[in-house]
């Protein structure tokens, strides 16, 4: 799933907060300057207006898309956009005052002065923030691999570096018409040739791929098909358009190139904002519940198996990026070391995931001499999904989503074929399509992949809500006592 970050004000939430802060400061300064001092919040009408201005500012930001392409805008364009935003805010504020029949009581001079101060202050802080972000992005940004030919390589690199505004970080080149692996072009390493490009892209942390070749050099269709199998976002020249079943395409710009972007699915800025907002709100509530659960389960975990209460494990996230995933520890301290010796009992084919019917590594799990199976706190928190609650912190941090695909371990990731990697084309989630489709019964990894791809392809906010409701039902069903 490809989130066009420059176009979404979700990714510029800091600008939104900064804008509202500028408006609040301007509101107070305008009142003090015009009235020679005082506190505007002591007057009911002005207090009402202060709250209303915050809401109206969000409305103007939303409908004018005030921060769309903000990192691409020059200083003059930024000034025009800031003035337009300020004047629109003045207009809707005036209409609001008349709507509540307070146009005569509220000082119009104060409102005009507030608008002037707001435009000056907002413009200055926008420019400063943009400058700092662009400087920071010079060493960061989304990782990009360029597929090109030898004669076009320098031109393409220069174009992307000078026109992507720090949002893309070129991590490697694939040269199609010559084996240059190990060499460099303008300081960018050549990481693969035509034969092994798809394998490299599938196994490394790559966010996006740009195909930009000379007109006389063709990129092998098989390579493109394999790259799309990984779920990585693929950009192509519009002239090289392809037909791809089950994928979405749209035209955009990389540098000065007009390209056809193909992806499994895409989010609009409003959808991205809705999903991220849901993750933060549910994540914060989940963190609070995690603290309450900790009070009860921590002593039981420690008494049964002395050691850390929380368990942090490196998992693979969106587009192959590793991150730390947190859980309540439900296994003994040597669980990872014992995994290899228990692999023969793995219920999932080919070892692509690890599931056992009765895992002796779980705290309290024992097979008694008479064959009876004894369970303990580890089995309890796993069956009730209490061990998953610390992952709400991951949701707040942005490394996971509440709903997504389940993150795999590093050793599982290394075994994946290209089409398996499409599972991680989105941010991993605490719950997802296959978890609510009978995860305890599914032992065929290909079925897991199919369900995850179905989720990615058909994603919507409504689908996330549906999965959340099913998750609650599944959790309660797993333990009849709940």
């Amino acid at each position: 799933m490809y989130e066009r970050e420059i176009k979404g004000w979700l990714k510029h939430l800091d600008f939104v907060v900064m804008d509202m802060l500028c408006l609040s400061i301007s509101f107070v300064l305008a009142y003090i300057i015009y009235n020679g001092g005082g506190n505007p919040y002591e007057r009911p009408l002005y207090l009402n207006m202060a709250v209303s201005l915050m809401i109206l500012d969000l409305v103007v930001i939303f409908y004018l898309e005030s921060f769309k392409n903000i990192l691409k805008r020059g200083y003059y364009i930024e000034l025009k956009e800031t003035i337009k935003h300020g004047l629109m805010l003045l207009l809707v504020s005036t209409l609001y005052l008349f709507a509540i029949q307070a146009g005569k009581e509220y000082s119009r001079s104060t409102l005009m002065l507030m608008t002037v101060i707001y435009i000056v202050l907002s413009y200055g802080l926008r420019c400063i923030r943009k400058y700092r972000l662009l400087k920071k992005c010079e060493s960061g940004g989304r990782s990009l691999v360029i597929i090109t030919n030898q004669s076009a390589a320098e031109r393409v690199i220069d174009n992307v570096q000078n026109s992507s505004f720090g949002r893309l970080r070129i991590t490697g080149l694939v040269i199609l018409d010559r084996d240059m692996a190990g060499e460099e072009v303008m300081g960018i390493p050549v990481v693969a040739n035509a034969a092994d490009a798809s394998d490299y892209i599938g196994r490394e942390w790559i966010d996006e791929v740009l195909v930009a070749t000379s007109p006389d050099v063709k990129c092998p269709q098989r390579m493109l098909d394999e790259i799309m199998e990984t779920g990585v976002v693929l950009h192509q020249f519009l002239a090289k358009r392809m037909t791809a079943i089950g994928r979405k395409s749209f035209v955009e710009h990389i540098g000065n190139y007009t390209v056809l972007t193909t992806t499994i699915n895409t989010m609009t800025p409003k959808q991205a904002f809705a999903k991220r907002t849901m993750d933060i709100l549910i994540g914060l509530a989940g963190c609070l519940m995690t603290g309450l659960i900790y009070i009860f389960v921590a002593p039981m975990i420690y008494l049964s198996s002395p050691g850390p209460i929380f368990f942090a494990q490196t998992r693979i996230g969106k587009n192959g990026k590793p991150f730390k995933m947190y859980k309540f520890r439900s296994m003994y301290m040597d669980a990872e070391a014992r995994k290899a010796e228990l692999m023969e009992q793995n219920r999932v084919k080919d070892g692509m995931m690890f599931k056992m019917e009765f895992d002796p590594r779980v705290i309290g799990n024992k097979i008694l001499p008479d064959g009876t199976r004894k369970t303990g706190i580890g089995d309890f928190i796993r069956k009730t999904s209490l061990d998953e609650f610390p992952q709400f912190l991951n949701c707040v941090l942005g490394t996971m989503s509440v709903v997504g695909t389940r993150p795999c371990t590093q050793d599982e990731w290394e075994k994946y074929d290209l089409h398996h990697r499409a599972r991680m084309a989105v941010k991993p989630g605490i719950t997802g399509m296959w978890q609510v489709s009978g995860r305890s019964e599914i032992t065929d990894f290909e079925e897991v992949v199919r369900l995850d791809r179905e989720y990615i392809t058909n994603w919507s906010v409504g689908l996330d809500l549906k999965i959340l409701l099913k998750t609650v039902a599944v959790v309660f069903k797993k333990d009849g006592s709940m």
Side-chain angles (χ1 to χ4, degrees), residues 232-454:
V232 171
V233 174
L234 178 65
H235 306 285
Q236 294 179 263
F237 284 122
L238 189 58
K240 295 177 179 285
R241 179 166 186 150
M242 67 175 64
T243 300
I245 299 175
R247 302 181 179 94
K248 297 186 179 181
S249 300
F250 48 87
V251 177
E252 60 176 0
H253 298 279
I254 295 291
N256 292 327
Y257 298 110
T258 300
V259 297
L260 178 71
T261 297
T262 305
T263 182
I264 298 177
N265 201 347
T266 185
M267 281 184 180
T268 66
K270 294 177 184 178
Q271 288 175 326
F273 175 77
K275 185 171 179 65
R276 183 63 184 135
T277 300
M278 184 170 68
D279 286 342
I280 292 175
L281 294 178
I282 296 178
L284 290 173
C287 287
L288 179 61
M289 294 179 68
T290 301
L292 296 175
I293 294 169
Y294 178 89
I295 297 174
F296 298 99
V297 304
M300 291 187 284
I301 291 174
Y302 188 82
L303 290 174
S304 301
S305 174
I309 305 302
F310 293 103
F311 174 67
Q313 185 183 44
T314 299
R315 292 290 184 102
I316 301 301
K318 183 178 178 181
N319 294 328
K321 182 178 181 179
F323 72 99
K324 289 289 186 182
M325 188 184 80
Y326 302 101
K327 301 178 73 173
F328 280 121
R329 184 169 62 90
S330 62
M331 293 189 175
Y332 291 109
M333 297 295 294
D334 61 348
E336 286 300 310
R338 297 174 60 189
K339 183 177 179 180
E341 65 186 57
L342 297 170
M343 193 59 70
E344 291 183 359
Q345 302 178 50
N346 188 7
R347 297 172 58 204
V348 181
K349 300 175 183 178
D350 303 321
M352 305 303 283
M353 299 175 69
F354 188 82
K355 292 175 69 70
M356 286 184 63
E357 187 175 346
F358 186 80
D359 195 337
R361 302 174 303 157
V362 175
I363 297 174
N365 277 12
K366 294 180 181 179
I367 299 180
L368 302 178
D370 61 357
T372 303
R373 293 177 176 180
K374 179 181 178 297
T375 60
I377 181 61
D379 183 73
F380 172 76
I381 64 174
R382 288 165 71 90
K383 280 188 175 181
T384 55
S385 297
L386 295 179
D387 62 322
E388 309 281 357
F389 271 79
Q391 290 167 43
F392 285 110
L393 176 60
N394 288 111
C395 293
V396 175
L397 295 176
T399 53
M400 290 181 67
S401 179
V402 176
V403 182
T405 59
R406 195 67 183 144
C408 62
T409 60
Q410 288 180 305
D411 60 319
E412 291 168 352
W413 175 255
E414 292 170 359
K415 298 175 185 177
Y416 278 12
D417 293 331
L418 291 177
H419 72 284
H420 296 151
R421 295 173 186 268
R423 295 185 64 236
M424 307 317 298
V426 297
K427 194 177 293 185
I430 298 176
T431 186
M433 182 78 82
W434 73 267
Q435 288 96 323
V436 299
S437 301
R439 66 180 181 180
S440 59
E441 286 77 27
I442 297 177
T443 58
D444 184 353
F445 183 67
E446 293 299 332
E447 176 65 10
V448 173
V449 174
R450 186 192 68 78
L451 288 170
D452 282 339
R453 288 181 67 99
E454 179 182 334

Side-chain angles (χ1 to χ4, degrees), residues 49-275:
M49 191 60 181
V51 176
S52 300
L53 280 170
M54 296 297 102
I55 298 173
L56 293 173
D57 191 38
L58 287 176
V59 172
V60 173
I61 290 172
F62 190 79
Y63 284 100
L64 286 186
E65 296 184 308
S66 300
F67 301 116
K68 179 179 180 180
N69 294 327
I70 188 169
L71 294 182
K72 292 184 177 181
R73 301 199 293 242
Y75 293 110
Y76 175 68
I77 299 298
E78 192 60 57
L79 178 60
K80 287 176 59 178
E81 292 296 321
T82 307
I83 293 174
K84 181 173 73 173
H85 182 96
L87 293 178
M88 180 59 70
L89 184 60
L90 174 63
L91 175 62
V92 296
S93 300
T94 302
L95 293 175
Y96 172 74
L97 286 172
F98 279 105
I100 63 173
Q101 299 181 346
K104 294 182 180 180
E105 290 80 10
Y106 193 96
S107 171
R108 284 168 287 182
S109 298
T110 302
L111 190 61
M112 293 289 293
L113 181 59
M114 180 202 73
T115 303
V116 174
I117 296 174
Y118 164 75
I119 290 173
V120 174
L121 186 60
S122 180
Y123 175 71
L125 289 182
R126 286 188 192 192
C127 292
I128 293 172
R129 180 60 178 162
K130 284 167 60 175
Y131 175 81
R132 294 184 64 183
L133 279 177
L134 292 174
K135 282 293 183 182
K136 181 179 179 180
C137 283
E138 288 178 359
S139 60
R142 295 174 64 82
S143 57
L144 175 75
V145 166
I146 296 175
I147 298 177
T148 185
N149 55 291
Q150 185 181 6
S151 62
E154 291 189 5
R155 182 177 70 254
V156 176
I157 293 171
D158 183 68
N159 189 300
V160 174
Q161 287 180 334
N162 292 330
S163 305
S164 66
F165 301 91
R167 302 302 293 178
L168 295 171
R169 174 171 48 89
I170 305 175
T171 58
L173 297 173
V174 175
I175 304 298
L176 295 176
D177 56 347
R178 182 183 167 191
D179 187 1
M180 296 177 59
E183 301 181 32
E184 290 188 352
V185 178
M186 295 180 64
I188 306 297
V190 179
V191 296
N193 53 35
D196 54 10
S198 57
D199 181 68
Y200 174 84
I201 292 168
R203 296 189 180 282
E204 297 297 324
W205 170 20
I206 305 298
D207 291 313
E208 305 182 21
V209 175
L210 168 65
V211 179
T213 61
S214 300
D216 58 328
V217 178
K218 293 184 178 181
C219 187
Q221 185 63 44
R222 180 178 178 181
M223 177 200 296
L224 298 176
D225 290 339
E226 290 177 344
I227 291 172
M228 285 192 291
E229 282 291 319
T230 69
V232 171
V233 174
L234 178 65
H235 306 285
Q236 294 179 263
F237 284 122
L238 189 58
K240 295 177 179 285
R241 179 166 186 150
M242 67 175 64
T243 300
I245 299 175
R247 302 181 179 94
K248 297 186 179 181
S249 300
F250 48 87
V251 177
E252 60 176 0
H253 298 279
I254 295 291
N256 292 327
Y257 298 110
T258 300
V259 297
L260 178 71
T261 297
T262 305
T263 182
I264 298 177
N265 201 347
T266 185
M267 281 184 180
T268 66
K270 294 177 184 178
Q271 288 175 326
F273 175 77
K275 185 171 179 65

